[in-house]
Amino acid sequence: MTCSIIAIGTAVPENQIPQSQVVRFMAKAHGMSGRDITRLEALYRTTGIKSRYSAIPDYASASTNDRQFYSSSDNLEPFPTTKERSVFYRKEAVKLSLKSIQNCLVQTNATLSEVTHLITISCTGMYAPGLDIDLVNELELSRNVERTCINFMGCYAAFVGIKSAKAFCDANPEATVLVVATELCTLHFQKKADEDNLVSNAIFGDGSAALLISNKHKSKSGVKSLKPLAFHNELFPEGADEMAWNIGDFGFEMKLSTYVPALIEKGIGQLVGQIIKKASVGEANHFAIHPGGKRILEVIEKELNISKNDNWAAREILSAYGNMSSPTVLFVLKRLLESLGAQNTGDKVLSLAFGPGLTVESMILEVV
């Protein structure tokens, strides 16, 4: 048998935060007034995002009295340290991961006792013993389950997880691989009002996605599966300084330059040609693009000559959840799968994601 993604489950924290609310928190935190607030509101309107989710409820209110994570002072001082954020991550990441795993398992007859491999993915928190071991204990997985941790790779890391899972399944016909991508991006809010921080604070959200890849198990009746056919990645070193993720004294510091769409525009056409060639297929029937930002989606649509309607799943996820880093493209794949029927069996899906490096990952999947 050929391995397939037989289930995808997603989860978000309970705090849904409309853009119109979080912008008020940000304006106060940045000490803005007058025209600066007007410009910040304009930035948030142009993101294509209506709401995001956060494990931190504070962003939903401009009132200092309602804060649970940040200080009640206007300037948020004392600002949470990296250690304090790490403690919060460990507690909340486990809870959110368990929710997405539960939502994944209900779509298949496979059981946790049959999981042979666990792959955890995250770039917004690290500790040891890590998320992988916490999940083994919480889920009561076999003590000899094979564990792999994919850390700090950013928005394209889910592709690395899927490639790794496929390799395990290709090597072992009995393998059943659980892949969990969990990010708490909003935990790393930085209050310095430079361009990189303003953009990052405007687009990132929290979320988790879990998928099951197996040779021998199938999805429940009515649930579609995806068979990975080919992968291809490219590294554009000239973009190394345009998208970065560093550990600072007060959390992780994201750099997301406005030049990133131009770099993607430069090489995306050639990369897609390579992946199509590897998969030995014609043009893709469907698209699952990582919504790194509205401008990135616009550039890809132009270069691949596809419409907004062709790229609807990415735009819907961006609008409803923002950019959640590594699990985001799995949210897109799940939304796309839910729209397909039996008549789509054999259709090909082109999926793309981007991250530090500048790295562009791609894969072709078949609907089964």
Side-chain angles (χ1 to χ4, degrees), residues 25-300:
F25 173 93
M26 294 297 174
K28 181 181 286 290
H30 292 311
M32 291 181 172
S33 61
R35 291 183 178 179
D36 288 338
I37 294 179
T38 301
R39 284 192 286 266
L40 188 67
E41 290 172 340
L43 169 63
Y44 276 62
R45 286 195 299 270
T46 61
T47 60
I49 300 169
K50 292 183 179 179
S51 65
R52 291 174 282 164
Y53 290 80
S54 175
I56 299 172
D58 301 12
Y59 299 115
S61 174
S63 171
T64 59
N65 297 324
D66 298 333
R67 293 180 187 161
Q68 297 181 31
F69 180 73
Y70 294 105
S71 165
S72 59
S73 64
D74 283 346
N75 63 0
L76 305 182
E77 294 294 342
F79 206 42
T81 64
T82 300
K83 180 178 180 179
E84 290 169 330
R85 299 178 201 236
S86 295
V87 170
F88 184 92
Y89 171 88
R90 180 167 188 168
K91 179 181 69 172
E92 297 298 328
V94 173
K95 287 164 49 179
L96 194 57
S97 298
L98 291 172
K99 286 174 61 177
S100 67
I101 293 168
Q102 181 182 22
N103 292 336
C104 173
L105 290 172
V106 297
Q107 302 171 47
T108 174
N109 292 321
T111 63
L112 287 171
S113 64
E114 296 172 291
V115 171
T116 58
H117 298 71
L118 171 66
I119 299 174
T120 56
I121 301 168
S122 190
C123 68
T124 50
M126 288 183 288
Y127 58 93
L131 178 61
D132 58 323
I133 293 178
D134 281 347
L135 290 179
V136 169
N137 293 332
E138 290 286 341
L139 297 169
E140 299 183 350
L141 297 178
S142 168
R143 290 295 185 260
N144 59 16
V145 66
E146 296 191 32
R147 296 175 284 110
T148 301
C149 302
I150 299 172
N151 299 123
F152 237 60
M153 297 190 82
C155 299
Y156 66 86
F159 287 64
V160 181
I162 293 171
K163 282 191 282 188
S164 301
K166 184 178 185 304
F168 292 144
C169 288
D170 288 346
N172 177 7
E174 298 301 310
T176 296
V177 187
L178 177 61
V179 182
V180 187
T182 300
E183 306 287 11
L184 302 184
C185 300
T186 67
L187 178 59
H188 297 288
F189 161 66
Q190 301 295 312
K191 63 176 181 173
K192 185 178 178 181
D194 58 33
E195 184 179 44
D196 292 334
N197 282 331
L198 293 180
V199 171
S200 297
N201 294 338
I203 67 173
F204 282 100
D206 300 349
S208 177
L211 58 85
L212 210 60
I213 299 182
S214 178
N215 288 314
K216 61 180 184 177
H217 293 290
K218 295 182 179 180
S219 308
K220 286 185 177 179
S221 178
V223 179
K224 276 75 64 180
S225 299
L226 288 168
K227 179 170 68 175
L229 298 180
F231 301 90
H232 184 70
N233 73 86
E234 292 280 355
L235 189 63
F236 299 98
E238 64 270 29
D241 294 332
E242 309 304 330
M243 186 182 292
W245 195 221
N246 298 300
I247 300 177
D249 293 334
F250 300 96
F252 298 173
E253 300 168 354
M254 163 63 78
K255 179 175 182 180
L256 183 60
S257 166
T258 54
Y259 293 107
V260 168
L263 291 167
I264 293 173
E265 182 178 25
K266 180 180 177 181
I268 197 67
Q270 182 178 353
L271 179 138
V272 169
Q274 291 291 327
I275 186 67
I276 293 292
K277 183 178 179 180
K278 275 188 177 182
S280 299
V281 299
E283 294 184 356
N285 308 100
H286 310 282
F287 300 89
I289 313 298
H290 167 67
K294 182 181 177 182
R295 179 58 184 152
I296 288 176
L297 293 182
E298 291 172 343
V299 163
I300 291 172

